Amino acid sequence: MATVSSITLGKGLTLQHCGLEFAVGMETYVGITGSLSLTDPPLSFTGAIRVGAQGLELSMTMNGVWKRAFGINWLAFGNGILSVAIKPGVPLFGFQIGGEVRIGDLDSGRELITKVYMGIDPLYPRRNYFYGSVNRASIGAILNAFGISVSLPKVLATSGFPNGLEVSFALDTIDLPGGLVIPHGFKLNGTMNILGYKLKALIFISMPSGIKIDIRMAPLKLAGGLLTMSASRSDSSTGPLLVADIKALPRPSVNVTAAGYVNLFYGMMKRDVFLQITNTQFIFWIRDKFFFFDALLKVYASYGSL
């Protein structure tokens, strides 16, 4: 690859690493690459044009975040990617697109940050991926991002995803601008708040390695105790839960736990449920109280390691 190290085009504008590249092998092509650096705003752009047996590819990445973009004080964007690949004999073309957008009072810690990236490659499906995230998304967070002070009921102000939401999918680990890494598999992570009731979920599926699920509900109390829900009779600080850690590699293992407790009519009707499944044992028990009657059923089984 032949390159030109640096050319100053003007004040704060530099062309770097511009060159001609060749590749011979599984992917044979000839291409032109280059980088453009700015000092104000501090951004860098990298572009490439490649032509070969696999077709034509045009790509550009933007590293860094442009704050107060286009003179708008509450807007910033950056860490973008845009590429198009045209393959001979393939009716669909591959592409990558995405970036990061920030809105609100920038650098205050209150701004909303959204990231969305997507890649489609019909010739190499393992390069397909998706990533989407927001650092917080609730009525209160949106108003606070712009410094708007409005007195709202707490259950309304925090409804949405007060701690953010992250969703991703990739068949192979993907590295993106800004240091973002999309892990192999499917991942969902976030806490949903609906009028004060919270549900926290982490789901990570990465086959053949394994599956991780951690779903926890907030404790619920209605009508002064007419209906309550929690993890157990002895733990009223957390709600019902489901936790699973199933591994196939390097050694198969299973650990699944589910627990919940319901109290109706101020204690006149109660029910506890507990389930645990591991490599070596199965435990299940249910305890009921119906008015003045109590019942308990326990099932325990031990077996050889899976």
Side-chain angles (χ1 to χ4, degrees), residues 196-234:
Y197 188 71
K198 296 180 181 179
L199 173 64
K200 183 177 182 180
L202 169 61
I203 301 174
F204 184 41
I205 303 173
S206 180
M207 301 306 293
S209 299
I211 299 173
K212 287 186 178 181
I213 298 175
D214 191 329
I215 300 176
R216 300 175 187 265
M217 301 170 65
L220 179 65
K221 186 175 183 179
L222 298 177
L226 180 65
L227 168 65
T228 63
M229 295 176 61
S230 61
S232 66
R233 294 193 191 195
S234 59

Side-chain angles (χ1 to χ4, degrees), residues 85-87 89-94 120 122-123:
I86 302 173
K87 316 284 186 179
V90 180
L92 299 176
F93 61 87
I120 300 294
L123 198 58

Side-chain angles (χ1 to χ4, degrees), residues 120-299:
I120 300 294
D121 191 326
L123 198 58
Y124 300 101
R126 295 196 66 85
R127 296 178 181 174
N128 297 341
Y129 67 87
F130 172 81
Y131 177 90
S133 72
V134 59
N135 63 334
R136 60 182 72 88
S138 66
I139 297 174
I142 294 172
L143 295 174
N144 190 41
F146 289 92
I148 300 174
S149 179
V150 178
S151 180
L152 293 175
K154 185 177 180 180
V155 294
L156 180 60
T158 58
S159 289
F161 297 93
N163 299 319
L165 177 68
E166 181 183 37
V167 181
S168 69
F169 169 78
L171 294 176
D172 286 326
T173 301
I174 303 292
D175 296 308
L176 293 176
L180 179 63
V181 178
I182 303 177
H184 160 69
F186 170 80
K187 181 180 180 180
L188 184 149
N189 187 18
T191 299
M192 182 171 61
N193 187 324
I194 303 177
L195 297 177
Y197 188 71
K198 296 180 181 179
L199 173 64
K200 183 177 182 180
L202 169 61
I203 301 174
F204 184 41
I205 303 173
S206 180
M207 301 306 293
S209 299
I211 299 173
K212 287 186 178 181
I213 298 175
D214 191 329
I215 300 176
R216 300 175 187 265
M217 301 170 65
L220 179 65
K221 186 175 183 179
L222 298 177
L226 180 65
L227 168 65
T228 63
M229 295 176 61
S230 61
S232 66
R233 294 193 191 195
S234 59
D235 182 7
S236 60
S237 62
T238 60
L241 59 88
L242 170 63
V243 180
D245 189 358
I246 303 172
K247 297 179 181 178
L249 298 174
R251 182 177 179 181
S253 67
V254 176
N255 193 337
V256 179
T257 301
Y261 168 66
V262 177
N263 184 325
L264 282 172
F265 305 120
Y266 307 102
M268 299 187 69
M269 297 176 64
K270 301 178 181 179
R271 170 171 290 184
D272 276 285
V273 178
F274 179 83
L275 169 69
Q276 185 177 56
I277 303 172
T278 70
N279 292 46
T280 58
Q281 65 182 8
F282 171 89
I283 301 173
F284 173 78
W285 58 260
I286 181 170
R287 179 169 54 176
D288 268 309
K289 178 182 179 181
F290 184 75
F291 293 97
F292 303 105
F293 300 95
D294 283 287
L296 176 64
L297 171 65
K298 284 187 175 182
V299 178

Side-chain angles (χ1 to χ4, degrees), residues 29-53:
Y29 63 82
V30 59
I32 299 175
T33 63
S35 298
L36 185 66
S37 297
L38 287 74
T39 56
D40 187 18
L43 300 171
S44 65
F45 299 84
T46 301
I49 301 175
R50 297 184 177 95
V51 180

Side-chain angles (χ1 to χ4, degrees), residues 57-98:
E57 180 182 354
L58 308 173
S59 66
M60 185 189 75
T61 63
M62 173 184 179
N63 296 291
V65 176
W66 182 14
K67 298 178 181 178
R68 296 165 183 82
F70 307 108
I72 303 174
N73 290 331
W74 50 264
L75 175 65
F77 70 87
N79 294 322
I81 59 171
L82 177 63
S83 71
V84 177
I86 302 173
K87 316 284 186 179
V90 180
L92 299 176
F93 61 87
F95 68 91
Q96 294 185 86
I97 188 170

